[in-house]
Amino acid sequence: MKHSIRRHRPALCLLLASAMGLALGACATTGAAQTASAAHEAGASFDYEGWDGYLGGGDSSQYSSLDQINRSNVSQLEVAWEFPTGDGTPPLFSPVVAGGRMYVQNGAGQLVALNPATGTQLWESHLAGRIGVRGVNYWSDGAGDERLMVINNGVLRAVNAATGEVIQSFGTDGGVDLRAALADDVTPPGGPLQTNNPGRIYRDTIIISLPAGAYDYASAPADIQAYDIRTGALKWVFHTVPREGEYGYDTWPANEHNLVGGGHNWSESTVDTELGLVFIPTGTARYDFYGGNREGDNLFANSLVALNAETGERVWHFQTVHHDLWDFDLPVAPKLMTITRNGERIPIVIQATKWGTIFTFDRRDGTPIWPIVETPVPASDVPGEHASPTQPIPSWPQPFMRQEFTEADINPYLPEADQQALRERFATWRHGGPFMPPSIQGTIAFPGHNGGANWGTVAVDPERQRLYVVSRELPLGLRIQADTRASALEAMPNATGEDLPYRWPVDFMLQSNGMVAIKPPFSNLTAYDMNTGEQLYSIPNGEIMTLEEQGITGVGAQTPRSGPVATGGGLLFVNTASDRAFRARDADTGAVLWEHRFDAGTEGVPAVYEVNGREYITVPVGGVGHFLGGLGLPEPGPSRYVTFALPEGSQ
């Protein structure tokens, strides 16, 4: 018999408070730690000139205040240098520039240091096994100790930033196995806890988010761990699946609690150096599309969690999806800025989602800037499921993408046979908004768990209070099926009675010509003024080469996995793989001011930096691109990093 689970509903509390005329702050989900307060104007001390970490730095802004390259001269950009990465995996790794060096990744998966003004190689690492493919973070004590913090085959390592050698005094023989700090009653996963999330540095602390460890019902808890950068000593641990006695424990079944996993911050995180907070956006509890064995809201899965960066203590949290059945991880780093609202300066944190919505909070205490409404959603018809009857929906700003896929939205550029097959599917499968649950008969899920925002696809201009989102529209077919094998039942925590393991075939609904099922725009670039929440524009982002050859343009790139970067020169730099383009846009209007075409796809986040008074921008190039293999694009050219600058002497 199922035991009762008390639901935590901060968003409902906020809605009721609003309706009754109460202060929203009275319902903030603040933890035991004293709520942080700003010592001075929020954002004033962030470094927007350097690019010393993934996404530009710990604030994750993807913004550079450099303005040498601007609207008036961006059309003069030319290639300054290229660095070939060689055979192997095309680069997604976002360049980091610090200590007079640029750090990238080559095709063999090794770190490489370059002269950032010329692209000349300075050193190459010799790490055994994988390292994260998205980026690293740089730290220096200001007295000659320079380190890159790297996750290498599930081991946290400190690498000498000047030589590429592992610092042997860090941890044990130069590393810390991330499995070592798991609780005693948790069976460590057989393989290393490797993740592409590079973590964040706060002062002399590196904060690492563990992966779930297994893509199955039973998996390692995805704790947040903090280590001393100099020694590798463990400083603190935050349990994303709460332990007994911790806040949120009663949102999970107590039985076999130590086998429940997920809730992992696989994506990105953000450090607020002024408030002393680290913002952790978490993902789905296992299993992604069925939760009959994990009755309850399942904190801290699918939550934005603000932790004291010194101690790991929870300051506040907000759960964006209750009892997730859609794999609606929070996929992108929270973004920081200070807005003016009703004459008051408010430091905020912004969280974009896979399902096209934007959550905005006062980052000091978690008070929503605009009401968040607990909204009824469709019920599940899967036996044993315990779907939440409501989900928190932001009332403002408006979504940055469509919220439903209907028969009228079928892609007109598909072969007629594909279109007819989709019409037949619509006639028999469930479909609706983002929270239509998976079903045995079949559900057309949209935006789907690979839609909306994703890692690296959101930038801010904190000086002008602008938010920029690159989105992708990719429907998903979900038809889950019971798995009655004895081995499957044995592997599933709380597998009793009608709680059966359910599996699903992954169906991204890509059609015979390689295109997505939904009509254009396939991707948008959306800009917001965050003082008001108003959209400034939402325009198709990029093209598809095979449609361009037919004279069809203005459709948006297919499934971009690319990061916009905003600059003090009033520009947005955006790369797209399905047209192999790198563009500079007017940040105020989205208009294209300059464009460069490559002979290969381009994904990942560019880096903007300055050397000896000259501004540069470097972008990863290589491969075909995510979900683009069936489009019939030309064979890609060599993988490399390409760096642009204004002609020498023209600055």
Side-chain angles (χ1 to χ4, degrees), residues 81-92:
W81 56 262
E82 297 188 359
F83 174 74
T85 60
D87 295 336
T89 304
L92 292 173

PDB file of all heavy atoms in Angstrom, residues 81-92:
ATOM      1  N   TRP A  81      43.165  33.842 -37.146  1.00  0.00           N
ATOM      2  CA  TRP A  81      43.930  32.600 -37.108  1.00  0.00           C
ATOM      3  C   TRP A  81      42.983  31.418 -36.940  1.00  0.00           C
ATOM      4  O   TRP A  81      41.823  31.584 -36.557  1.00  0.00           O
ATOM      5  CB  TRP A  81      44.983  32.600 -36.000  1.00  0.00           C
ATOM      6  CG  TRP A  81      44.518  32.845 -34.588  1.00  0.00           C
ATOM      7  CD1 TRP A  81      44.558  34.022 -33.902  1.00  0.00           C
ATOM      8  CD2 TRP A  81      43.966  31.871 -33.672  1.00  0.00           C
ATOM      9  NE1 TRP A  81      44.069  33.864 -32.627  1.00  0.00           N
ATOM     10  CE2 TRP A  81      43.698  32.550 -32.451  1.00  0.00           C
ATOM     11  CE3 TRP A  81      43.688  30.523 -33.748  1.00  0.00           C
ATOM     12  CZ2 TRP A  81      43.157  31.914 -31.330  1.00  0.00           C
ATOM     13  CZ3 TRP A  81      43.142  29.875 -32.637  1.00  0.00           C
ATOM     14  CH2 TRP A  81      42.887  30.568 -31.451  1.00  0.00           C
ATOM     15  N   GLU A  82      43.495  30.225 -37.260  1.00  0.00           N
ATOM     16  CA  GLU A  82      42.762  28.985 -37.066  1.00  0.00           C
ATOM     17  C   GLU A  82      43.665  27.980 -36.368  1.00  0.00           C
ATOM     18  O   GLU A  82      44.878  27.973 -36.578  1.00  0.00           O
ATOM     19  CB  GLU A  82      42.282  28.400 -38.405  1.00  0.00           C
ATOM     20  CG  GLU A  82      41.297  29.282 -39.148  1.00  0.00           C
ATOM     21  CD  GLU A  82      40.706  28.589 -40.373  1.00  0.00           C
ATOM     22  OE1 GLU A  82      41.092  27.423 -40.650  1.00  0.00           O
ATOM     23  OE2 GLU A  82      39.858  29.197 -41.058  1.00  0.00           O
ATOM     24  N   PHE A  83      43.052  27.134 -35.552  1.00  0.00           N
ATOM     25  CA  PHE A  83      43.796  26.051 -34.920  1.00  0.00           C
ATOM     26  C   PHE A  83      43.109  24.735 -35.249  1.00  0.00           C
ATOM     27  O   PHE A  83      41.977  24.489 -34.810  1.00  0.00           O
ATOM     28  CB  PHE A  83      43.874  26.226 -33.403  1.00  0.00           C
ATOM     29  CG  PHE A  83      44.519  25.046 -32.714  1.00  0.00           C
ATOM     30  CD1 PHE A  83      45.892  24.851 -32.788  1.00  0.00           C
ATOM     31  CD2 PHE A  83      43.760  24.111 -32.024  1.00  0.00           C
ATOM     32  CE1 PHE A  83      46.494  23.750 -32.181  1.00  0.00           C
ATOM     33  CE2 PHE A  83      44.346  23.008 -31.414  1.00  0.00           C
ATOM     34  CZ  PHE A  83      45.720  22.830 -31.502  1.00  0.00           C
ATOM     35  N   PRO A  84      43.744  23.850 -36.032  1.00  0.00           N
ATOM     36  CA  PRO A  84      43.129  22.554 -36.357  1.00  0.00           C
ATOM     37  C   PRO A  84      43.162  21.631 -35.142  1.00  0.00           C
ATOM     38  O   PRO A  84      44.207  21.489 -34.482  1.00  0.00           O
ATOM     39  CB  PRO A  84      44.015  22.024 -37.486  1.00  0.00           C
ATOM     40  CG  PRO A  84      45.339  22.696 -37.287  1.00  0.00           C
ATOM     41  CD  PRO A  84      45.042  24.041 -36.704  1.00  0.00           C
ATOM     42  N   THR A  85      42.036  20.989 -34.849  1.00  0.00           N
ATOM     43  CA  THR A  85      41.980  20.090 -33.690  1.00  0.00           C
ATOM     44  C   THR A  85      42.330  18.657 -34.055  1.00  0.00           C
ATOM     45  O   THR A  85      42.489  17.816 -33.167  1.00  0.00           O
ATOM     46  CB  THR A  85      40.589  20.124 -33.039  1.00  0.00           C
ATOM     47  OG1 THR A  85      39.603  19.718 -33.992  1.00  0.00           O
ATOM     48  CG2 THR A  85      40.268  21.520 -32.549  1.00  0.00           C
ATOM     49  N   GLY A  86      42.432  18.336 -35.352  1.00  0.00           N
ATOM     50  CA  GLY A  86      42.826  17.003 -35.769  1.00  0.00           C
ATOM     51  C   GLY A  86      41.664  16.026 -35.798  1.00  0.00           C
ATOM     52  O   GLY A  86      40.503  16.389 -35.584  1.00  0.00           O
ATOM     53  N   ASP A  87      41.987  14.791 -36.094  1.00  0.00           N
ATOM     54  CA  ASP A  87      40.960  13.750 -36.175  1.00  0.00           C
ATOM     55  C   ASP A  87      40.349  13.505 -34.804  1.00  0.00           C
ATOM     56  O   ASP A  87      40.974  13.725 -33.768  1.00  0.00           O
ATOM     57  CB  ASP A  87      41.560  12.451 -36.705  1.00  0.00           C
ATOM     58  CG  ASP A  87      42.060  12.577 -38.137  1.00  0.00           C
ATOM     59  OD1 ASP A  87      41.554  13.462 -38.863  1.00  0.00           O
ATOM     60  OD2 ASP A  87      42.958  11.800 -38.522  1.00  0.00           O
ATOM     61  N   GLY A  88      39.133  12.981 -34.832  1.00  0.00           N
ATOM     62  CA  GLY A  88      38.449  12.680 -33.579  1.00  0.00           C
ATOM     63  C   GLY A  88      37.168  13.470 -33.457  1.00  0.00           C
ATOM     64  O   GLY A  88      36.570  13.899 -34.449  1.00  0.00           O
ATOM     65  N   THR A  89      36.740  13.673 -32.240  1.00  0.00           N
ATOM     66  CA  THR A  89      35.470  14.339 -31.966  1.00  0.00           C
ATOM     67  C   THR A  89      35.533  15.807 -32.366  1.00  0.00           C
ATOM     68  O   THR A  89      36.448  16.526 -31.956  1.00  0.00           O
ATOM     69  CB  THR A  89      35.129  14.221 -30.475  1.00  0.00           C
ATOM     70  OG1 THR A  89      35.123  12.843 -30.097  1.00  0.00           O
ATOM     71  CG2 THR A  89      33.775  14.837 -30.185  1.00  0.00           C
ATOM     72  N   PRO A  90      34.550  16.293 -33.149  1.00  0.00           N
ATOM     73  CA  PRO A  90      34.509  17.728 -33.469  1.00  0.00           C
ATOM     74  C   PRO A  90      34.356  18.552 -32.194  1.00  0.00           C
ATOM     75  O   PRO A  90      33.740  18.107 -31.218  1.00  0.00           O
ATOM     76  CB  PRO A  90      33.272  17.848 -34.360  1.00  0.00           C
ATOM     77  CG  PRO A  90      33.045  16.487 -34.914  1.00  0.00           C
ATOM     78  CD  PRO A  90      33.477  15.539 -33.836  1.00  0.00           C
ATOM     79  N   PRO A  91      34.891  19.751 -32.165  1.00  0.00           N
ATOM     80  CA  PRO A  91      34.895  20.524 -30.917  1.00  0.00           C
ATOM     81  C   PRO A  91      33.529  21.100 -30.557  1.00  0.00           C
ATOM     82  O   PRO A  91      32.847  21.705 -31.377  1.00  0.00           O
ATOM     83  CB  PRO A  91      35.898  21.647 -31.207  1.00  0.00           C
ATOM     84  CG  PRO A  91      35.887  21.796 -32.697  1.00  0.00           C
ATOM     85  CD  PRO A  91      35.638  20.425 -33.247  1.00  0.00           C
ATOM     86  N   LEU A  92      33.144  20.860 -29.307  1.00  0.00           N
ATOM     87  CA  LEU A  92      32.052  21.569 -28.652  1.00  0.00           C
ATOM     88  C   LEU A  92      32.612  22.437 -27.530  1.00  0.00           C
ATOM     89  O   LEU A  92      31.924  23.301 -26.999  1.00  0.00           O
ATOM     90  CB  LEU A  92      31.064  20.571 -28.030  1.00  0.00           C
ATOM     91  CG  LEU A  92      30.226  19.710 -28.958  1.00  0.00           C
ATOM     92  CD1 LEU A  92      29.460  18.678 -28.144  1.00  0.00           C
ATOM     93  CD2 LEU A  92      29.253  20.572 -29.744  1.00  0.00           C
TER      94      LEU A  92
END
